[in-house]
Amino acid sequence: MRKFPKTLFVSISLEHLPISETSLKQICLDWEDVGFSFFRPAVVMEWKAEPLPLGKSKLGLNLKLTLRYWQGFMAFVLPNWYFQKEKEKLTDVLRNQIDSKNKKRKQNLLLEIWNHFWKKPISLVWLDLEFIKVRMDLNLESEEFPTALPLSYDGEKKIYLRRGYLKTIHYRWTKKEFKAPYPKFAEMYIKTRDKHNDKSLGKVYHRFLGYLLETKSDEYLLRYFGFESILTDKVRNQIPEQIWNLNSPTIKTKWIEPNLLANELEFRTVYQVSTSSQNHLK
């Protein structure tokens, strides 16, 4: 008596997916965490993502199906037909999952664009703004400055801080006002010299590294406030707490920083607010 097959191995693939290979791999890793549950009872034995031109990708999977008696009977009697039927069914399942992921990504992208437009800070109001120049032994990745050379003195990087109390954040239609005690807030810059493609050096600028708060454990709030440029953990962990205690001339007044959306290489302009200033808060 012949034995009917109890397992069936099927390879499926989708090509020219409108997803980068990196994003596709992350999707597959998420699916792997839940055991590719949408394929059950089929089990994914192996998967591979490959890049294709124009930002598209290919995804291939090898699956194993455990066959019941009648499924094994059909696979024995009509092997080509049964194999093709199962392959088409599994390919449709994969295609539907990819489509749902794409739709979700597009929805999330629209939400991100909306939030970026309406919830991104466009100006700040500071209290007691201070300007501090320091040198510190700061370890930075060269990839962070592909077109600039961080300047140093005796091995220490030249750092510039604007430190003060955060009074108000202005958005396009709204604003967020803080009450005392105001959060102690800083912008951090590093002094660099431009590097050109011909290996020549250009002008010196202070390049923006990111925002930070005096209380490091509160810095998750910066993203909630709409600030995207936050110091990486690697850099933040090198910043000593003493920077908040350095003495410098303090301007006992309100200052407004009006153009956070600009992308200057030098410092953004900061205006002192007075009753005669065009930047005075009414």
Side-chain angles (χ1 to χ4, degrees):
M1 181 178 177
R2 290 180 178 273
K3 290 185 178 181
F4 301 145
K6 295 183 179 180
T7 57
L8 181 68
F9 293 91
V10 180
S11 296
I12 61 175
S13 66
L14 292 177
E15 297 188 8
H16 299 287
L17 296 169
I19 309 171
S20 67
E21 183 196 14
T22 303
S23 298
L24 186 58
K25 283 183 176 179
Q26 185 57 56
I27 289 172
C28 289
L29 289 172
D30 293 341
W31 286 342
E32 194 173 61
D33 288 340
V34 294
F36 290 90
S37 57
F38 51 86
F39 276 129
R40 290 173 185 166
V43 177
V44 175
M45 308 298 293
E46 183 183 21
W47 61 268
K48 184 178 181 181
E50 300 177 43
L52 293 175
L54 301 177
K56 297 185 178 181
S57 302
K58 173 184 177 181
L59 176 62
L61 300 98
N62 295 326
L63 302 101
K64 181 179 78 171
L65 289 84
T66 301
L67 303 179
R68 297 177 181 174
Y69 177 81
W70 286 109
Q71 292 172 325
F73 174 76
M74 295 299 296
F76 175 75
V77 175
L78 299 169
N80 292 335
W81 174 84
Y82 188 79
F83 176 85
Q84 194 62 34
K85 180 177 77 72
E86 290 298 322
K87 182 175 181 177
E88 290 175 359
K89 183 172 73 174
L90 292 169
T91 302
D92 286 341
V93 170
L94 178 60
R95 185 178 289 111
N96 290 336
Q97 290 296 319
I98 290 288
D99 288 344
S100 72
K101 277 283 187 181
N102 273 339
K103 288 178 182 177
K104 187 175 181 180
R105 285 173 67 248
K106 289 177 181 177
Q107 291 172 352
N108 290 343
L109 181 60
L110 290 174
L111 182 61
E112 287 176 11
I113 293 173
W114 175 265
N115 288 337
H116 181 82
F117 186 78
W118 295 112
K119 295 185 179 181
K120 186 176 178 64
I122 59 174
S123 68
L124 299 178
V125 177
W126 301 70
L127 295 176
D128 301 345
L129 186 63
E130 300 172 285
F131 302 87
I132 301 170
K133 291 183 179 181
V134 295
R135 295 199 306 265
M136 64 177 68
D137 183 13
L138 199 62
N139 182 21
L140 298 170
E141 298 291 342
S142 59
E143 292 80 7
E144 295 182 39
F145 300 96
T147 62
L149 177 69
L151 299 181
S152 60
Y153 182 82
D154 287 344
E156 294 181 321
K157 304 294 189 300
K158 296 184 177 182
I159 303 299
Y160 190 97
L161 289 164
R162 295 205 296 200
R163 187 185 70 187
Y165 294 97
L166 189 55
K167 174 69 170 61
T168 310
I169 306 173
H170 287 272
Y171 304 93
R172 292 187 186 275
W173 280 357
T174 60
K175 66 180 179 180
K176 180 171 184 59
E177 293 195 84
F178 298 91
K179 296 181 179 179
Y182 303 103
K184 208 162 190 179
F185 179 74
E187 292 179 334
M188 185 172 176
Y189 296 80
I190 184 169
K191 198 169 187 178
T192 65
R193 185 178 290 277
D194 277 353
K195 290 190 301 186
H196 300 150
N197 290 335
D198 61 0
K199 297 184 179 181
S200 62
L201 297 178
K203 294 183 178 180
V204 173
Y205 294 104
H206 285 87
R207 293 177 184 265
F208 185 52
L209 283 179
Y211 300 103
L212 60 156
L213 294 173
E214 181 179 27
T215 305
K216 183 184 175 185
S217 60
D218 289 343
E219 287 181 355
Y220 71 94
L221 292 170
L222 291 173
R223 295 200 186 280
Y224 173 74
F225 296 149
F227 295 107
E228 296 177 358
S229 299
I230 301 173
L231 289 179
T232 62
D233 287 340
K234 179 179 179 180
V235 175
R236 184 63 177 90
N237 291 335
Q238 298 178 68
I239 308 303
E241 293 300 317
Q242 288 81 353
I243 66 160
W244 302 102
N245 302 321
L246 295 174
N247 294 322
S248 71
T250 302
I251 304 160
K252 300 289 184 181
T253 184
K254 294 179 182 179
W255 285 62
I256 186 167
E257 191 169 359
N259 190 16
L260 296 183
L261 301 183
N263 190 30
E264 297 90 349
L265 292 176
E266 294 182 284
F267 293 136
R268 291 187 292 263
T269 305
V270 178
Y271 298 95
Q272 183 174 6
V273 176
S274 66
T275 54
S276 61
S277 169
Q278 61 178 346
N279 296 296
H280 174 60
L281 298 179
K282 303 296 183 180

